[in-house]
Amino acid sequence: MSLSVAVAGASGYAGGELLRLLAQHPELEVRTVTAHSNAGQPLLAVHPHLVSFADLVLQPTAPEVLAGHDVVFLALPHGASGALAAQLPDDVLVLDCGADHRLERASDWADYYGGEWAGSWAYGLPELITPGGRRRDELAGARRIAVPGCNVTSITLGLQPGIAAGLIEPVDLVSVLAVGPSGAGRALRANLLASEILGSASAYQVGGVHRHTPEIVQNLRTAGGGEPTISFTPVLVPMSRGILATSTARLAPGADASAVRAAWEAAYAEEPFVHLLPEGAFPASGDATGANTCLVGLAVDERAGRVVAVSAIDNLVKGTAGQAIQAANLALGLPETLALPVNGVAP
């Protein structure tokens, strides 16, 4: 018997991607979709590509609408999930695709988001290296899961093997990301209009102020990095979806190229959704489009004494919706890879 699912914030990009992937899930049945300003409209009015959900109408996002389902996905703006989730029954599996429950330290929330901290939930990055193994070991049976940020996922998966193995210095980390505008959501903003971004690239949230910074540090700390420091700069580029993260780190004393590659190979040899490319090969962002994969290319810049990791993800799949479903599968005792594509879409 299928488990019932509600998707809150279904009219947005993340909500739409959740529905696209859930449509193929044999154990999860979407019964309710909610929205704010679009409530009352047929789902197809905002997502005409989701023809398998032609019978669904967007309902208001309210606890009484979401209660009564086995699984609830929250694809809401930051700051909107905490109070809503607190009103849902404890036995419901709730996955928050926003930032409200990702950070373990109230001080980090105060510094980067402000307002009341909603507390931390089980962190839904199964591949995250932990002192005891991987984060997936802690997700079985969880009923509250925080889905990681998209930029966070690309940087964490690119750098963590070197941190865990002690082959790169955890300070003076640098990451520059080319990102598509869908990561900023569907709300109309002048700087995200096609006429503003086509033929142009622009850095934003420069100088350590991006809200994903403390989450990246938190992950690399978990992987064994002590108190890491990272300079992280996202660059908006004219592609609808995708992230290409180029992350560099100083080689630790005594480390060499062969040890570096061996560490990344060992870290991801058994991972179904993280793939280390052959030596000399590097991913394009489009290689991961539509897939729940992270593709990683690796090099050692001997002259600079730095490791270079280039990681590509689809920000709406491995960066959000696919990662949420992957975590849900683990929490429910289902096969981790169920209903999640590993092949991208090209051209």
Side-chain angles (χ1 to χ4, degrees):
M1 182 177 178
S2 297
L3 299 172
S4 61
V5 173
V7 177
S11 60
Y13 289 138
E17 196 69 2
L18 277 164
L19 293 169
R20 183 182 74 86
L21 297 172
L22 288 168
Q24 307 301 318
H25 202 297
E27 302 294 339
L28 300 180
E29 179 185 353
V30 177
R31 297 183 186 172
T32 301
V33 290
T34 79
H36 179 54
S37 59
N38 290 301
Q41 294 191 61
L43 180 66
L44 288 189
V46 294
H47 290 307
H49 63 295
L50 298 176
V51 294
S52 62
F53 295 116
D55 59 326
L56 293 181
V57 174
L58 291 161
Q59 301 183 47
T61 301
E64 61 270 20
V65 175
L66 300 174
H69 296 82
D70 299 304
V71 184
V72 175
F73 293 93
L74 302 177
L76 302 172
H78 303 324
S81 298
L84 181 63
Q87 299 177 69
L88 297 177
D90 292 340
D91 60 345
V92 176
L93 172 57
V94 182
L95 299 105
D96 184 7
C97 295
D100 291 25
H101 302 95
R102 295 173 185 163
L103 298 179
E104 297 172 354
R105 297 180 177 179
S107 58
D108 285 339
W109 181 266
D111 288 345
Y112 283 86
Y113 292 89
E116 186 176 353
W117 178 55
S120 63
W121 287 357
Y123 191 70
L125 180 55
E127 299 91 352
L128 178 63
I129 298 171
T130 67
R134 298 294 165 105
R135 184 67 78 186
R136 65 167 49 85
D137 303 329
E138 303 169 24
L139 294 177
R143 284 300 173 264
R144 296 291 188 271
I145 296 176
V147 180
C150 53
N151 299 310
V152 179
T153 296
S154 63
I155 295 172
T156 299
L157 295 178
L159 289 176
Q160 68 167 355
I163 293 284
L167 295 174
I168 60 177
E169 300 286 354
V171 295
D172 188 27
L173 303 170
V174 178
S175 189
V176 178
L177 279 62
V179 302
S182 59
R186 202 172 189 177
L188 289 177
R189 302 179 193 176
N191 67 310
L192 301 180
L193 296 174
S195 56
E196 299 288 338
I197 66 172
L198 291 178
S200 181
S202 57
Y204 64 98
Q205 298 289 298
V206 180
V209 299
H210 196 287
R211 289 174 168 181
H212 284 178
T213 302
E215 189 183 346
I216 296 165
V217 171
Q218 176 176 287
N219 285 354
L220 297 181
R221 183 191 306 126
T222 298
E227 289 297 328
T229 60
I230 185 166
S231 177
F232 151 50
T233 305
V235 178
L236 191 67
V237 298
M239 58 186 185
S240 61
R241 58 164 79 195
I243 294 176
L244 187 72
T246 301
S247 303
T248 73
R250 294 201 309 252
L251 274 171
D256 59 22
S258 61
V260 166
R261 174 153 286 272
W264 265 256
E265 288 176 344
Y268 295 136
E270 304 299 324
E271 291 294 345
F273 296 120
V274 186
H275 302 282
L276 179 65
L277 301 186
E279 189 167 356
F282 298 90
S285 63
D287 297 339
T289 299
N292 193 53
T293 53
C294 177
L295 307 176
V296 181
L298 190 64
V300 173
D301 185 337
E302 299 282 3
R303 293 181 178 86
R306 296 184 76 89
V307 171
V308 182
V310 181
S311 49
I313 65 169
D314 185 324
N315 60 292
L316 293 177
V317 188
K318 185 57 176 165
T320 309
Q323 189 134 265
I325 294 171
Q326 184 181 349
N329 285 339
L330 287 164
L332 295 167
L334 300 172
E336 183 176 348
T337 59
L338 198 60
L340 293 172
V342 295
N343 297 315
V345 177

